[in-house]
PDB file of all heavy atoms in Angstrom:
ATOM      1  N   VAL A  94      98.953 101.057  78.517  1.00 98.00           N
ATOM      2  CA  VAL A  94      99.428 102.251  77.800  1.00 98.00           C
ATOM      3  C   VAL A  94      98.664 102.417  76.502  1.00 98.00           C
ATOM      4  O   VAL A  94      98.186 103.521  76.172  1.00 98.00           O
ATOM      5  CB  VAL A  94     100.947 102.150  77.530  1.00 98.00           C
ATOM      6  CG1 VAL A  94     101.410 103.323  76.677  1.00 98.00           C
ATOM      7  CG2 VAL A  94     101.727 102.080  78.829  1.00 98.00           C
ATOM      8  N   ALA A  95      98.483 101.317  75.757  1.00 98.00           N
ATOM      9  CA  ALA A  95      97.767 101.379  74.498  1.00 98.00           C
ATOM     10  C   ALA A  95      96.322 101.782  74.712  1.00 98.00           C
ATOM     11  O   ALA A  95      95.758 102.587  73.952  1.00 98.00           O
ATOM     12  CB  ALA A  95      97.877 100.042  73.773  1.00 98.00           C
ATOM     13  N   ALA A  96      95.693 101.204  75.746  1.00 98.00           N
ATOM     14  CA  ALA A  96      94.285 101.512  76.004  1.00 98.00           C
ATOM     15  C   ALA A  96      94.093 102.970  76.383  1.00 98.00           C
ATOM     16  O   ALA A  96      93.153 103.633  75.917  1.00 98.00           O
ATOM     17  CB  ALA A  96      93.741 100.611  77.108  1.00 98.00           C
ATOM     18  N   LEU A  97      94.984 103.506  77.209  1.00 98.00           N
ATOM     19  CA  LEU A  97      94.891 104.920  77.564  1.00 98.00           C
ATOM     20  C   LEU A  97      95.124 105.797  76.348  1.00 98.00           C
ATOM     21  O   LEU A  97      94.456 106.830  76.179  1.00 98.00           O
ATOM     22  CB  LEU A  97      95.925 105.247  78.647  1.00 98.00           C
ATOM     23  CG  LEU A  97      95.534 104.771  80.043  1.00 98.00           C
ATOM     24  CD1 LEU A  97      96.759 104.773  80.966  1.00 98.00           C
ATOM     25  CD2 LEU A  97      94.442 105.627  80.636  1.00 98.00           C
ATOM     26  N   GLY A  98      96.060 105.412  75.480  1.00 98.00           N
ATOM     27  CA  GLY A  98      96.282 106.159  74.261  1.00 98.00           C
ATOM     28  C   GLY A  98      95.072 106.203  73.366  1.00 98.00           C
ATOM     29  O   GLY A  98      94.751 107.260  72.774  1.00 98.00           O
ATOM     30  N   ARG A  99      94.356 105.083  73.271  1.00 97.00           N
ATOM     31  CA  ARG A  99      93.149 105.050  72.441  1.00 97.00           C
ATOM     32  C   ARG A  99      92.056 105.945  73.020  1.00 97.00           C
ATOM     33  O   ARG A  99      91.189 106.409  72.283  1.00 97.00           O
ATOM     34  CB  ARG A  99      92.645 103.615  72.295  1.00 97.00           C
ATOM     35  CG  ARG A  99      93.488 102.730  71.383  1.00 97.00           C
ATOM     36  CD  ARG A  99      92.805 101.444  71.066  1.00 97.00           C
ATOM     37  NE  ARG A  99      92.598 100.578  72.214  1.00 97.00           N
ATOM     38  CZ  ARG A  99      93.471  99.658  72.623  1.00 97.00           C
ATOM     39  NH1 ARG A  99      94.600  99.501  71.964  1.00 97.00           N
ATOM     40  NH2 ARG A  99      93.213  98.924  73.693  1.00 97.00           N
ATOM     41  N   GLN A 100      92.110 106.169  74.327  1.00 97.00           N
ATOM     42  CA  GLN A 100      91.145 107.067  74.974  1.00 97.00           C
ATOM     43  C   GLN A 100      91.550 108.524  74.849  1.00 97.00           C
ATOM     44  O   GLN A 100      90.834 109.415  75.331  1.00 97.00           O
ATOM     45  CB  GLN A 100      91.020 106.710  76.464  1.00 97.00           C
ATOM     46  CG  GLN A 100      90.434 105.339  76.730  1.00 97.00           C
ATOM     47  CD  GLN A 100      90.459 104.974  78.219  1.00 97.00           C
ATOM     48  OE1 GLN A 100      90.813 105.809  79.065  1.00 97.00           O
ATOM     49  NE2 GLN A 100      90.073 103.754  78.545  1.00 97.00           N
ATOM     50  N   GLY A 101      92.678 108.782  74.209  1.00 97.00           N
ATOM     51  CA  GLY A 101      93.160 110.154  74.059  1.00 97.00           C
ATOM     52  C   GLY A 101      93.844 110.698  75.294  1.00 97.00           C
ATOM     53  O   GLY A 101      94.047 111.915  75.402  1.00 97.00           O
ATOM     54  N   ARG A 102      94.236 109.809  76.211  1.00 97.00           N
ATOM     55  CA  ARG A 102      94.908 110.229  77.434  1.00 97.00           C
ATOM     56  C   ARG A 102      96.403 110.368  77.197  1.00 97.00           C
ATOM     57  O   ARG A 102      97.002 109.680  76.372  1.00 97.00           O
ATOM     58  CB  ARG A 102      94.661 109.214  78.546  1.00 97.00           C
ATOM     59  CG  ARG A 102      93.212 108.850  78.784  1.00 97.00           C
ATOM     60  CD  ARG A 102      92.475 110.024  79.431  1.00 97.00           C
ATOM     61  NE  ARG A 102      92.995 110.307  80.757  1.00 97.00           N
ATOM     62  CZ  ARG A 102      92.571 109.690  81.870  1.00 97.00           C
ATOM     63  NH1 ARG A 102      91.605 108.758  81.798  1.00 97.00           N
ATOM     64  NH2 ARG A 102      93.071 109.991  83.044  1.00 97.00           N
ATOM     65  N   ARG A 103      97.035 111.263  77.958  1.00 97.00           N
ATOM     66  CA  ARG A 103      98.501 111.388  77.957  1.00 97.00           C
ATOM     67  C   ARG A 103      99.059 110.308  78.868  1.00 97.00           C
ATOM     68  O   ARG A 103      98.721 110.229  80.051  1.00 97.00           O
ATOM     69  CB  ARG A 103      98.905 112.781  78.387  1.00 97.00           C
ATOM     70  CG  ARG A 103      98.625 113.845  77.338  1.00 97.00           C
ATOM     71  CD  ARG A 103      98.921 115.227  77.894  1.00 97.00           C
ATOM     72  NE  ARG A 103      97.937 115.601  78.894  1.00 97.00           N
ATOM     73  CZ  ARG A 103      98.024 116.702  79.634  1.00 97.00           C
ATOM     74  NH1 ARG A 103      99.049 117.506  79.522  1.00 97.00           N
ATOM     75  NH2 ARG A 103      97.083 116.967  80.518  1.00 97.00           N
ATOM     76  N   VAL A 104      99.976 109.517  78.333  1.00 98.00           N
ATOM     77  CA  VAL A 104     100.463 108.354  79.056  1.00 98.00           C
ATOM     78  C   VAL A 104     101.867 108.017  78.623  1.00 98.00           C
ATOM     79  O   VAL A 104     102.251 108.295  77.477  1.00 98.00           O
ATOM     80  CB  VAL A 104      99.527 107.128  78.825  1.00 98.00           C
ATOM     81  CG1 VAL A 104      99.430 106.767  77.360  1.00 98.00           C
ATOM     82  CG2 VAL A 104      99.935 105.916  79.653  1.00 98.00           C
ATOM     83  N   LEU A 105     102.636 107.441  79.530  1.00 98.00           N
ATOM     84  CA  LEU A 105     103.955 106.938  79.249  1.00 98.00           C
ATOM     85  C   LEU A 105     104.153 105.631  79.993  1.00 98.00           C
ATOM     86  O   LEU A 105     103.845 105.540  81.178  1.00 98.00           O
ATOM     87  CB  LEU A 105     105.048 107.939  79.657  1.00 98.00           C
ATOM     88  CG  LEU A 105     106.497 107.439  79.497  1.00 98.00           C
ATOM     89  CD1 LEU A 105     106.857 107.311  78.020  1.00 98.00           C
ATOM     90  CD2 LEU A 105     107.463 108.392  80.201  1.00 98.00           C
ATOM     91  N   GLY A 106     104.654 104.609  79.295  1.00 98.00           N
ATOM     92  CA  GLY A 106     105.028 103.361  79.940  1.00 98.00           C
ATOM     93  C   GLY A 106     106.521 103.340  80.189  1.00 98.00           C
ATOM     94  O   GLY A 106     107.302 103.810  79.369  1.00 98.00           O
TER      95      GLY A 106
END
Side-chain angles (χ1 to χ4, degrees):
V94 175
L97 284 164
R99 287 192 295 269
Q100 295 174 6
R102 307 290 295 273
R103 287 174 290 172
V104 59
L105 175 68

